[in-house]
Amino acid sequence: AAMWKALAAAAPARVLLRAAPPRRAASLAVSPAAGPADERVETRVAGLSPGQPVTLRAVAADGRGCLFQSCAHYRADSRGELHLGTDASHGGDYTGVEPMGLFWSLAPARMERPYQRLVPRSTDAPMKVEVLVHQGHSPPGAMPGPVVAKAEVERWFTAPGVRKIRLKEGVVRGSLFLPPGDGPFPGVIDMYGDEGGLIEFRSSLLATHGFAALSLPYFDFEDLPKVMKELKLEYFEKAARFLQRHPKVKGPGVGVIGTGKGAELALSMVTFLQEVVAAVSVSGCSSNTVADLHYGEMTLPGLRFDMNKVSVSDTGVFDIFEALDDPMNPANSPCIIPIEKAEGHFLLVVGEDDRMWKSSLYAELAIRRLRQHGKENFELLSYPGAGHRIDPPSTPFCPVAMDRVLGVPVRGGGESKAHAHAQEHSWGKIREFLRLHLG
């Protein structure tokens, strides 16, 4: 009887031996698992069945806990493997071969308020992104299939050894990021637009690439004015002098990079301030806008926005593309920044599908003005399909964003893939330009 029991117990094992061998578990590798936020990662999946359909998802949260996600549809190759650097997505939030598509297509999850940007409020901690592999193809927003593999990636905005110094120098406020080492380093002032406050992530990435970068707010921060009514160029002059004289900064001049209103301030700085020798204007205007700009006895009045020229879509999205006064109207000539007076160099970066305002036209006007005065001290990077806010690579594309001043969603324009490619290409060119002219 004992022998029969033993045989009976062994029978299932013999059946198992004749069955198909169990499939090896799927694995996901993202490398580097921790690295600078503006650098590419390699994403590979192994252990799938040949031709197996899978959905790759990325999930991240911002500083306030708002959830962002993206997804793309892939098929494993004949070896049951996937490589996002060579294999194309067939659907989801993007298609084609896009090694960083899961990162730049991150958008607010369905249950979150729409039109939010995923930009770091603090550069001290990394952004954590979870990448997941799900069985089958599930459309964006739908419940995905079972998870077969996952990995976490850390995207750092500040490299090890970069020092951040919070600035209170006379009236000047901001954060100075210094690269590791003795230096001296090329010095750059970094400014954003009319959203105000202190935005540090581009400065900290510039420091990661060897620049002494001063993130400079000019309203709505600490004891600076709450709103942007009028601006004094002396404030920016003091910031430029502080940076130029810093023992870790190479001379003789410093550079400046700005986006939107910050871009137009960059043009004014290189025009009027001898300390500034190179200006990067990202989606800027060639005239002064909104707030009057004073410098000593001189005033550049600001072009105004005509809110009657704003259109609103059925979904409540504002299009302000036509709203800024026409800089070519002779009545507005006092607003023009006289950039032909600048001894320094210009890099103009524009998205041809910018819907915030006509930055392509404004770049043309700037170039025409320089050429009329016999100047060739400029480069133009003009990107078809890119929208307004061209940030460092892999910054999630946000075609419509909540405007902090107006409190409504405003169209920035652009198409996700073209915009992502513009961010990657321009970032390398911006750093090259600054190195060339700052030594």
Side-chain angles (χ1 to χ4, degrees):
M3 187 178 75
W4 286 113
K5 275 185 184 164
L7 281 171
R14 285 205 298 275
V15 173
L16 276 177
L17 287 173
R18 288 199 299 274
R23 250 195 28 232
R24 64 193 173 106
S27 64
L28 169 65
V30 186
S31 62
D38 58 345
E39 289 188 6
R40 279 189 179 193
V41 295
E42 287 234 335
T43 306
R44 294 176 183 271
V45 185
L48 300 171
S49 303
Q52 183 179 343
V54 288
T55 298
L56 265 69
R57 279 175 71 233
V59 182
D62 70 6
R64 292 170 298 190
C66 171
L67 206 61
F68 290 75
Q69 54 187 21
S70 61
C71 77
H73 300 160
Y74 289 91
R75 279 189 188 278
D77 65 16
S78 58
R79 292 170 309 194
E81 294 178 358
L82 263 182
H83 179 213
L84 268 56
T86 53
D87 293 324
S89 162
H90 306 292
D93 291 318
Y94 62 91
T95 57
V97 178
E98 294 294 334
M100 296 302 292
L102 287 172
F103 293 83
W104 54 248
S105 60
L106 281 163
R110 289 285 166 99
M111 70 278 212
E112 301 289 0
R113 282 186 302 119
Y115 314 132
Q116 298 186 73
R117 284 189 191 284
L118 179 54
V119 289
R121 301 195 163 270
S122 163
T123 57
D124 302 333
M127 182 182 290
K128 293 182 177 178
V129 182
E130 189 171 36
V131 182
L132 305 107
V133 183
H134 296 267
Q135 282 181 26
H137 286 164
S138 45
M143 182 66 82
V147 175
V148 296
K150 61 183 180 178
E152 190 175 77
V153 190
E154 289 191 352
R155 308 284 283 160
W156 286 91
F157 292 89
T158 308
V162 167
R163 282 198 304 141
K164 174 171 137 178
I165 300 154
R166 185 47 69 79
L167 201 63
K168 278 198 167 182
E169 186 73 21
V171 294
V172 179
R173 299 290 173 265
S175 293
L176 176 63
F177 291 87
L178 293 173
D182 296 333
F185 309 103
V188 181
I189 291 171
D190 175 31
M191 298 178 295
Y192 271 91
D194 59 9
E195 64 265 56
L198 177 67
I199 301 173
E200 299 176 322
F201 74 101
R202 184 165 60 191
S203 306
S204 62
L205 286 172
L206 283 168
T208 295
H209 287 283
F211 294 91
L214 171 57
S215 184
L216 186 69
Y218 46 96
F219 74 102
D220 195 26
F221 179 71
E222 292 185 356
D223 54 358
L224 294 175
K226 269 277 161 247
V227 292
M228 188 176 62
K229 277 195 181 141
E230 54 179 6
L231 294 166
K232 290 186 164 63
L233 200 60
E234 283 84 356
Y235 174 79
F236 303 90
E237 184 173 48
K238 283 169 183 156
R241 284 184 181 160
F242 163 80
L243 189 61
Q244 183 199 33
R245 292 169 183 171
H246 194 283
K248 291 265 187 182
V249 173
K250 262 186 198 178
V254 297
V256 57
I257 177 171
T259 295
K261 177 68 188 175
E264 149 208 325
L265 285 164
L267 297 182
S268 291
M269 287 168 74
V270 73
T271 298
F272 295 110
L273 308 180
Q274 62 183 27
E275 295 83 1
V276 180
V277 298
V280 180
S281 160
V282 181
S283 309
C285 185
S286 48
S287 293
N288 185 53
T289 67
V290 185
D292 293 357
L293 181 67
H294 306 283
Y295 186 45
E297 299 295 304
M298 181 211 75
T299 297
L300 285 183
L303 289 179
R304 302 298 181 204
F305 277 97
D306 180 352
M307 295 313 282
N308 293 320
K309 291 183 179 171
V310 173
S311 62
V312 186
S313 75
D314 297 340
T315 55
V317 173
F318 282 56
D319 189 327
I320 62 172
F321 186 65
E322 296 289 349
L324 188 68
D325 287 350
D326 180 4
M328 295 192 289
N329 180 339
N332 292 326
S333 61
C335 304
I336 294 170
I337 302 163
I339 55 174
E340 70 281 359
K341 293 181 177 176
E343 295 295 318
H345 294 263
F346 299 90
L347 176 63
L348 308 170
V349 182
V350 296
E352 292 174 20
D353 192 32
D354 184 347
R355 294 297 305 179
M356 194 70 78
W357 60 14
K358 302 174 184 179
S359 54
S360 286
L361 168 68
Y362 306 150
E364 270 177 49
L365 295 176
I367 287 168
R368 192 185 306 166
R369 190 172 181 94
L370 290 169
R371 285 197 164 137
Q372 279 169 351
H373 290 84
K375 298 265 185 139
E376 289 291 332
N377 55 340
F378 63 86
E379 289 174 62
L380 171 67
L381 297 174
S382 185
Y383 295 102
H388 179 70
R389 195 163 143 162
I390 298 173
D391 273 327
S394 303
T395 302
F397 171 63
C398 190
V400 175
M402 195 59 71
D403 187 277
R404 202 194 62 82
V405 181
L406 301 173
V408 295
V410 174
R411 272 187 78 188
E415 181 276 314
S416 59
K417 194 185 290 195
H419 191 90
H421 293 179
Q423 291 194 149
E424 187 157 351
H425 183 264
S426 62
W427 185 234
K429 291 290 186 186
I430 286 166
R431 293 181 350 245
E432 262 175 45
F433 169 83
L434 291 170
R435 274 205 193 90
L436 177 65
H437 297 295
L438 304 178

